[in-house]
Amino acid sequence: MKAIRRFTVRPVLPEPLLPLSELARNLRWSWHTETRDLFQAVDPEGWQAAGGDPVRLLGSVSAARLAELTGDRRFLRRLAAVADDLDDYLHGRRWYQAHSGAPGDHDPEGSEFPTAVAYFSPEFGVTAALPQYSGGLGILAGDHLKAASDLGVPLIGVGLLYRHGYFRQSLSREGWQQEHYPLLDPNELPVSLLREPDGAPCQVSLALPGGRSLRAHIWMAQVGRVPLLMLDSDVEENGPGERDVTDRLYGGGSEHRLLQEMLLGIGGVRAVRAYCRLTGHPAPEVFHTNEGHAGFLGLERIRELGEPPERGGQDLDFDAALEAVRAGTVFTTHTPVPAGIDRFDRELVARHFGDRGELAGVPVEKVLQLGMETYPGGEPNLFNMAVMGLRLAQRANGVSTLHGAVSRGMFAGLWPGFDAAEVPITSVTNGVHAPTWVAPEVFRLGAGQIGASRAEDALSVGGSQRWDAVADIPDADIWELRRELREQLVLEVRERLRASWRQRGAGAAELGWIDGVLDPDVLTIGFARRVPSYKRLTLMLRDRDRLMELLLHPTRPVQIVVAGKAHPADDGGKRLVQELVKFADDPRVRHRIVFLPDYGMAMAQKLYPGCDVWLNNPLRPLEACGTSGMKAALNGCLNLSVLDGWWDEWFEPDFGWAIPTADGSATDDDRRDELEAGALYELIENRVAPRFYDRGAGGLPQRWIEMVRRTLTTLGPKVLAGRMVREYVERLYAPAARAHRSLNADTARELASWKGRVRVGWPHVAVDHVEALEQSAAGGTAELGSTLALRVRVALGALQPDDVEVQAVSGRVDSDDAIADAQAFPLKPAGGPDLEGRWVYEGPLSLDRTGPFGYTVRILPAHPLLATSADLGLVALPTEGTGEGAGVLMR
């Protein structure tokens, strides 16, 4: 019989064991080994059955076992120590509080750092026990929260609670991906419902067309010091369609996705306000939008500021509110291709806003303008979430140096007239939360060298001196550890492979061969990630005979562990999975290459440490960052990767290998894959495998071990999420907080009015004439160290010199006279206006480099509250015939 209703019966913990409840509800256990060990001691078999989830464990432990633990003085001492450690972690001063720019109790707004930051993301990968993620974006968001907690950054995470998560993956007998969506009961997850003082669930509501409402409860997960708020639309007051809005991550059609993103952005801001009201948490000064999915949060904040003071607003019109919102908003893009951005039909968005939908009183046309692709090549009838995110944020970044450059090129149309290098999108390279991803065995080896507390600091905060201690660990200890981790992976793979084949319909009698799958003494390569086409899951299969030779080499064999999920709607990705699975099913090689279904955090935490080499072969430059290789590196695994994402930034031949690329415009896709696959085989056969198997004294591969050392000492401090979050705080959050404070209601109105006046007047701004005075150059040449005195005549129309900056821009020029490595120098007003209303600007231009050299002049809007001179996307440049001296050549 099937139950008509399901609910969870929780045990009543005896008084001495009550701290177990708080320890289970704070997700710090997911990265704190001592806490996990404590729960394992409660019931070792139950811990295994619960999948390492303390909430599930406590829901199943017997009353007799609880009574037994109550009398176990040794266990109670351990419990007290772990509970005290959590209390110190939650309330002690950490990096943020100790920083000179941190908010103080006496004057929180006089600090450099924000009093609080709200961090919005559509997915969060905190732990396998809370499956609310699909891939790298979610894992990055989870690591961001954990690192913020370790550093003491006052962050509030905001996301959605998906009742079916992403999906669980299995394989058919033919190797075709199959999706399963098990129902997640929040009462069985490590979350709690945010409640009003009277005990009623706290609720947010959105207005929908036709007089309908979308209501959501707020579930809270405690990620160390950081609260994570997750909105859940499975509320009884909702209609069937509205209840299903948060059913699946990245599921449904366009309207379904739009409602998810409205709930995340608009509902998320309302959830933050409710949380701060109920808990007394400081209100965020900075809002961080992790990808465009949460972009609507800016519109809700504009609506708030438009409310009258008696309702908590500042009575600002749309344009003034927009300036105030932009000042305190940070936008991070993770997308290297336009196809990866959510775009909605213009009419669909219009239907959900305005007086008949959400944000009544906010002009629909103003909303639409924020997302319209009003640039060459844009689609006029599509609403682009990333474009809106950029227009609503004064500060934006990509997630690696290369990705920042790609993003500046991809979004350059929003800043016409500016070179791509001047587009105001910077970069903060991603990092990973080392305490989550470093194997306990690796941590113990480091702790034995420098002590447990210093090792914890090295993983969470960084510091190259702590990582340098790896140099003193004996070669034999490193190699013994690497073999131990490889052996653990072999056992894990066999267990998962056997379970997969049973799901595929195989009987136990067919699976004896699995006991011989993989060898703990064979070079092991890992490849695990999502399966879009650009990540090229099957590049390794390009020449199958050559791959077989590598796998079956008599003295230098290779074994490969592969995992990954294709999006449920991506049949092309599913075909790639099937192609790889069929190859791995071949009896000739199935002991050397395996595909493991249902890739997730639990699998990854075994996979990264157990591999010797981490393979990544995307189409360059389509990998925004690629953090899986970072997690592998922290465990002493060497990277073998295309120079893309973070590897392009930090690769050195001392600790890994770069796969040569053939990404020139003249190379077609098929030929490019053939060339790059050949380069991959060549590297493995002639560089990677020989170094692994080249054994010296004591049977140790000393050159390989040295590469492992260099990986840890050089990459270790760089790839940390702690380093990443510190950069966000210092480079983006702190400036955003200062800008937010500088824009009160009056200054926001003044700035909006000034921008409106500049936009209206800009068509009449022009560079009228440029000349170089006292020019010693003759015949188009000049001497190094000489100076040109520039005189420029400009038209400003109704604008004044205080509204603009006139600049000379100079640098080396190429054969097309394009200026490279440009430097800008302001020119000063020297007279005007004349009878024609022209102004004269003058200034020196130093000729400080040899070779072909050129300059130009431009006019930019200028205001003290602008974050960058490109803020408005307006620039006036000389036209042909403007005057002499438009370019100078010197030798």
Side-chain angles (χ1 to χ4, degrees), residues 13-25 28-29 32-42 54 57-58 65-88:
L13 292 174
E15 181 74 25
L17 301 182
L18 284 178
L20 285 173
S21 180
E22 182 180 359
L23 289 170
R25 288 290 171 182
R28 188 197 182 209
W29 60 257
H32 191 248
T33 303
E34 287 82 357
T35 307
R36 291 197 303 275
D37 290 346
L38 178 75
F39 279 109
Q40 185 173 14
V42 168
L57 171 71
L58 293 182
R65 177 56 179 161
L66 293 176
E68 183 182 347
L69 289 172
T70 302
D72 186 337
R73 287 186 294 177
R74 184 169 175 233
F75 178 84
L76 294 178
R77 284 196 298 271
R78 287 181 65 188
L79 174 59
V82 173
D84 286 346
D85 184 76
L86 176 62
D87 186 71
D88 289 344

Side-chain angles (χ1 to χ4, degrees), residues 457-652:
D457 287 344
L459 295 183
S460 59
V461 180
S464 59
Q465 290 181 344
R466 298 184 182 97
W467 287 87
D468 288 345
V470 173
D472 299 325
I473 300 176
D475 286 0
D477 291 355
I478 291 176
W479 190 240
E480 182 181 350
L481 172 65
R482 293 299 315 147
R483 191 191 186 283
E484 178 186 352
L485 294 171
R486 201 181 307 116
E487 189 168 35
Q488 288 182 16
L489 176 61
V490 168
L491 296 176
E492 178 85 5
V493 165
R494 291 173 182 173
E495 182 179 338
R496 288 181 177 273
L497 194 62
R498 184 172 283 105
S500 173
W501 271 101
R502 293 301 296 268
Q503 284 185 310
R504 294 174 71 180
E510 300 177 68
L511 301 179
W513 59 273
I514 289 179
D515 291 333
V517 167
L518 304 190
D519 183 329
D521 292 311
V522 166
L523 171 63
T524 304
I525 298 176
F527 183 101
R529 48 190 44 85
R530 290 183 303 112
V531 191
S533 59
Y534 79 87
K535 290 182 183 284
R536 295 193 295 185
L537 170 73
T538 57
L539 185 69
M540 66 181 76
L541 303 182
R542 186 74 188 189
D543 185 338
R544 300 184 181 209
D545 290 339
R546 191 162 183 191
L547 177 58
M548 279 192 176
E549 291 174 4
L550 292 173
L551 296 172
L552 304 175
H553 194 283
T555 58
R556 297 196 301 267
V558 170
Q559 57 194 16
I560 305 176
V561 181
V562 184
K565 291 180 176 180
H567 188 280
D570 182 10
D571 282 349
K574 292 180 185 180
R575 281 191 288 272
L576 295 178
V577 170
Q578 185 179 45
E579 187 180 350
L580 195 290
V581 170
K582 286 187 173 181
F583 181 83
D585 285 350
D586 189 326
R588 294 173 294 175
V589 295
R590 64 187 182 186
H591 63 301
R592 286 282 188 258
I593 181 169
V594 297
F595 180 88
L596 300 179
D598 208 27
Y599 179 50
M601 290 186 71
M603 181 193 298
Q605 286 171 318
K606 291 289 187 183
L607 187 54
Y608 297 131
C611 290
D612 300 295
V613 173
W614 196 255
L615 174 62
N616 190 27
N617 46 230
L619 287 171
R620 188 181 191 274
L622 302 185
E623 184 80 274
C625 185
T627 54
S628 63
M630 295 179 171
K631 302 177 187 103
L634 284 172
N635 288 282
C637 177
L638 308 183
N639 275 268
L640 169 61
S641 176
V642 164
L643 288 176
D644 201 2
W646 75 276
W647 193 237
D648 178 75
E649 193 170 336
W650 289 330
F651 161 72
E652 292 179 20

